[in-house]
Amino acid sequence: MRIPFFKALLMFLILVAIESCSCEDNIPDQNIAAGKVLNYDGQGIEGVTIEVIHLNDNMQGKTDAEGRFEISVPRSKSYVINITKKGFGFRSVVYQDSLELDSIPYNEYYLNQATVATIDASIGGTVTVTNTESLGSSSSRADWSQSPTGKLPLVLDDSGRVASFIMPEKLKSAWDIQSQNKARLPRASLRIAGNSLVNKSGAPAQGNISVSISATDMFSPNGMPGNNIATTNRGQTGPMQSFGAVSIEVYDDDQSYNLDQESKATAEVIIPVPDWQLELRKENRDAIPLLYYNESNGVWEENGQAIFDDSLKAYRAQLTHFSSINFDIIKTDPSSSLSFSFQNTTPMPAANELILPFRVELTTEDAADNMLYVRTRTIDAINGGNPLCEISSAPIPGGTLTTYGISMNRLPPLSPVAVVFFNDVINPVAQSLYVLQTGPGDQTITDDPWNVPSCMDITNEVFSDITSINTDIYATANPTDPVLVAMCLNAAGTHYRVSLASRDLTFDALDPTTGININFIDVEQFPGDPFCGSSYQELWNAATPFVELFKTQVGPPENPEWLVQVLEVPVTSLCSDPAIVITQFNIEVSTIGLANINNFDGIPIATCDTSP
């Protein structure tokens, strides 16, 4: 049978169209939202409702007996994942990018047990949080045994050079609170008046009802719902600094209840200011914004005020409806950003390299407000919900070496920050602890939190210099090393400050019988320039006027890990020409009476006064 000409032509054009289909058409139009929901004992929770919201649509699923879930959702630029179950706290995470997300990071989500009490709806009552245990931050739960330097802080100057091993005192207090899991959840309370509750249809609640209240675990990963973004009642956007938050549900076996809007019913919530926050802040604001969490877009919205009650050392507010509520300061002024780079070797990563996915945890105390907060991000893949930017890529024998850049955004300006990178999101293995300072703020970072800084901004160092977190001389140290050394030059250019860290807690560099020998080898101004002095200049001798500034232990008081000794020496002791400024040095370190000798080559001399 002959095929009509026009039908043959049509079939031909269809075949051509199929053959010429672009590769983009082969990109899956679906993403998978997958993870596991656990209680604070690490056991999976069955029957948890998982709601994934994208654009104006949403999809739901339930966790299985092991707490696992997997939901197929359309590709989108943003997702809000809400995680709920009666009798537990509320979790919500936001993944957003300027481009369509290629993936949604797999994660484990922990729900804390809520306090649930029964009240008579006609009489009302007060319910107070009884579960104050915190899951703890990633730093408090991580395996630090594989970190060569443990919790020894590597304090960087503004050029990313190690200046010392002493964390700034204010930041140290904040770091100790979160890294040792000293914080407890506040004993918040909720007072509901009688005959103030209605169901969705407006019918009044009758008989006994259940009231569930849980304190938000702000330090734990994904503990605070959302992405640290809030809007004021004037429509301004900014990062939050929380004084405390709770989630509230009221229900019976058949339905949920909320406050009666028609009668303008309210309920009072009181959130005590935590003891650790009272220590950091000597004064508390008389009034701060009351925020409600919008579960549709993942943003906290201002709607009312919380008033400080000095007699209770707590904030109290009148609620108009139940949800997740938050007492917060919204920072609408310029905020800062920190950028980091790391290298990744494929197909076989080198030792100590970060492997996707990994986690970043940042602890800071706002220098302006003395507020502590912990920010955690999971870095998954390029356009995986958190910008991971490819800076450069080069072939190497057997593979490829790629340099990536990331940023931590909406940070308080000119404030000290502790940053830890963790390999393995599920069972975090801590890398080195870095300490640095944020730069001046920029209003565009605050005003456009989803798009600034972009990958181009990070690569071009528009808002902050890139700090390399690649393996350095300190990250290759091991417990048998006699000492670690950092050196910086003061602002006046008159003295070098030498920081020495040892795992021997009886260490004393100035003791001639138990101290150490340090020889400066080939001390250089700049590569290629003449050496300053002899090629072998011994630092420790009677002619070297060293002064001990202080000595301190690093780590938990009950189990310190390091002894740090800080000394000072005049510039002229290392170089007879005061006009010559040494920029790097090679040293040989040996412990008196021991055989082990270590050579550290090319140690850069940092600037003391640009480190935190």
Side-chain angles (χ1 to χ4, degrees):
M1 182 178 69
R2 298 179 62 183
I3 301 176
F5 170 79
F6 288 108
K7 183 179 289 187
L9 178 61
L10 178 61
M11 293 174 62
F12 171 79
L13 292 175
I14 292 173
L15 290 173
V16 170
I18 293 173
E19 289 293 326
S20 62
C21 175
S22 67
C23 295
E24 292 182 359
D25 294 330
N26 295 324
I27 298 175
D29 60 356
Q30 297 284 306
N31 271 329
I32 300 296
K36 190 174 184 180
V37 183
L38 307 100
N39 61 24
Y40 276 20
D41 293 326
Q43 300 171 331
I45 306 175
E46 184 177 7
V48 178
T49 299
I50 310 295
E51 181 186 40
V52 184
I53 300 175
H54 58 95
L55 300 177
N56 295 319
D57 197 5
N58 71 319
M59 306 188 74
Q60 289 192 358
K62 296 276 190 180
T63 57
D64 63 16
E66 296 180 347
R68 301 183 186 277
F69 67 89
E70 184 173 302
I71 304 171
S72 180
V73 295
R75 284 168 58 89
S76 177
K77 291 184 178 181
S78 66
Y79 298 98
V80 179
I81 301 180
N82 296 321
I83 303 170
T84 57
K85 183 173 183 177
K86 289 180 179 178
F88 288 89
F90 170 72
R91 295 274 166 133
S92 178
V93 294
V94 178
Y95 298 106
Q96 185 155 354
D97 203 346
S98 58
L99 303 174
E100 277 196 345
L101 302 179
D102 294 330
S103 64
I104 302 175
Y106 179 94
N107 228 321
E108 286 187 346
Y109 305 95
Y110 288 82
L111 298 185
N112 58 330
Q113 196 81 36
T115 298
V116 182
T118 300
I119 66 171
D120 187 322
S122 63
I123 299 174
T126 299
V127 181
T128 301
V129 169
T130 58
N131 178 20
T132 61
E133 289 299 313
S134 170
L135 176 69
S137 65
S138 293
S139 294
S140 70
R141 299 187 300 116
D143 177 9
W144 287 85
S145 64
Q146 298 184 48
S147 172
T149 51
K151 294 182 180 179
L152 180 72
L154 306 182
V155 183
L156 308 181
D157 69 3
D158 59 359
S159 296
R161 299 167 297 197
V162 181
S164 75
F165 307 116
I166 301 297
M167 188 176 289
E169 190 58 37
K170 275 194 171 183
L171 182 61
K172 182 179 183 300
S173 299
W175 166 256
D176 287 346
I177 288 168
Q178 72 92 351
S179 66
Q180 298 175 35
N181 198 19
K182 294 181 178 179
R184 291 293 176 264
L185 307 185
R187 291 188 179 277
S189 62
L190 173 70
R191 185 176 64 84
I192 300 175
N195 299 316
S196 63
L197 302 174
V198 294
N199 63 13
K200 291 182 179 180
S201 301
Q206 297 180 351
N208 288 336
I209 56 173
S210 297
V211 178
S212 172
I213 180 171
S214 62
T216 299
D217 196 351
M218 294 186 293
F219 288 171
S220 67
N222 301 316
M224 177 65 76
N227 199 20
N228 197 50
I229 298 294
T231 58
T232 69
N233 52 20
R234 297 181 301 277
Q236 294 175 287
T237 299
M240 308 182 307
Q241 293 180 344
S242 180
F243 283 79
V246 296
S247 294
I248 300 167
E249 282 187 287
V250 180
Y251 53 88
D252 59 20
D253 292 339
D254 301 317
Q255 56 194 325
S256 297
Y257 297 95
N258 218 308
L259 292 166
D260 186 358
Q261 300 289 315
E262 288 192 7
S263 65
K264 298 182 179 180
T266 62
E268 184 180 59
V269 64
I270 300 175
I271 303 181
V273 178
D275 291 341
W276 54 265
Q277 203 166 82
L278 290 173
E279 292 177 8
L280 293 176
R281 292 178 59 89
K282 302 306 179 185
E283 296 181 1
N284 290 282
R285 298 188 181 190
D286 293 336
I288 58 176
L290 165 65
L291 310 181
Y292 292 86
Y293 185 65
N294 187 326
E295 297 179 14
S296 298
N297 60 16
V299 174
W300 290 90
E301 299 171 349
E302 181 181 4
N303 186 3
Q305 280 191 328
I307 307 301
F308 185 69
D309 186 328
D310 190 61
S311 64
L312 299 176
K313 300 299 180 188
Y315 281 97
R316 58 201 312 163
Q318 296 296 318
L319 305 182
T320 58
H321 63 278
F322 300 139
S323 65
S324 291
I325 64 103
N326 198 351
F327 295 167
D328 258 272
I329 297 173
I330 305 175
K331 307 288 285 188
T332 57
D333 48 356
S335 55
S336 189
S337 166
L338 287 176
S339 297
F340 303 91
S341 68
F342 67 96
Q343 292 182 327
N344 189 259
T345 305
T346 53
M348 293 297 292
N352 293 324
E353 282 189 350
L354 289 169
I355 303 171
L356 295 169
F358 62 86
R359 178 170 288 164
V360 186
E361 182 181 79
L362 180 148
T363 305
T364 184
E365 182 179 356
D366 190 330
D369 283 328
N370 293 327
M371 285 288 293
L372 161 65
Y373 63 94
V374 178
R375 185 84 54 78
T376 303
R377 275 184 51 190
T378 297
I379 308 299
D380 181 66
I382 294 178
N383 296 332
N386 288 297
L388 173 63
C389 309
E390 184 176 314
I391 296 176
S392 64
S393 183
I396 59 174
T400 303
L401 179 64
T402 304
T403 300
Y404 294 103
I406 61 172
S407 68
M408 300 290 283
N409 310 321
R410 304 183 301 280
L411 306 176
L414 303 176
S415 298
V417 175
V419 182
V420 185
F421 296 83
F422 303 91
N423 262 330
D424 193 338
V425 173
I426 306 305
N427 300 296
V429 177
Q431 305 284 66
S432 295
L433 165 61
Y434 296 89
V435 177
L436 59 165
Q437 181 160 296
T438 59
D442 192 292
Q443 193 63 45
T444 57
I445 298 175
T446 303
D447 293 343
D448 193 3
W450 304 119
N451 300 306
V452 177
S454 65
C455 281
M456 184 174 294
D457 294 333
I458 295 171
T459 303
N460 295 331
E461 301 182 303
V462 173
F463 298 104
S464 67
D465 294 336
I466 295 178
T467 299
S468 172
I469 56 171
N470 298 326
T471 303
D472 53 31
I473 57 171
Y474 303 107
T476 59
N478 62 67
T480 64
D481 287 335
V483 69
L484 298 180
V485 183
M487 195 167 177
C488 63
L489 177 67
N490 67 2
T494 59
H495 288 78
Y496 292 110
R497 185 173 296 171
V498 182
S499 297
L500 306 164
S502 174
R503 290 187 182 272
D504 179 1
L505 302 183
T506 63
F507 164 78
D508 186 350
L510 298 183
D511 187 331
T513 61
T514 61
I516 63 171
N517 290 325
I518 294 186
N519 293 320
F520 276 70
I521 309 169
D522 301 346
V523 178
E524 298 182 26
Q525 308 171 62
F526 300 97
D529 286 349
F531 298 145
C532 173
S534 64
S535 62
Y536 237 90
Q537 182 175 353
E538 185 171 340
L539 173 61
W540 309 106
N541 54 52
T544 306
F546 267 88
V547 176
E548 179 180 286
L549 299 182
F550 59 88
K551 185 187 295 183
T552 187
Q553 293 182 344
V554 175
E558 66 279 4
N559 187 29
E561 300 173 359
W562 292 86
L563 181 77
V564 177
Q565 188 174 24
V566 180
L567 310 173
E568 195 170 62
V569 60
V571 167
T572 53
S573 297
L574 300 184
C575 185
S576 57
D577 185 351
I580 296 178
V581 177
I582 302 171
T583 59
Q584 66 179 45
F585 60 93
N586 304 334
I587 61 172
E588 176 187 271
V589 181
S590 63
T591 303
I592 294 175
L594 298 179
N596 44 336
I597 296 177
N598 296 78
N599 290 296
F600 298 99
D601 295 331
I603 297 178
I605 296 181
T607 304
C608 301
D609 297 276
T610 63
S611 63

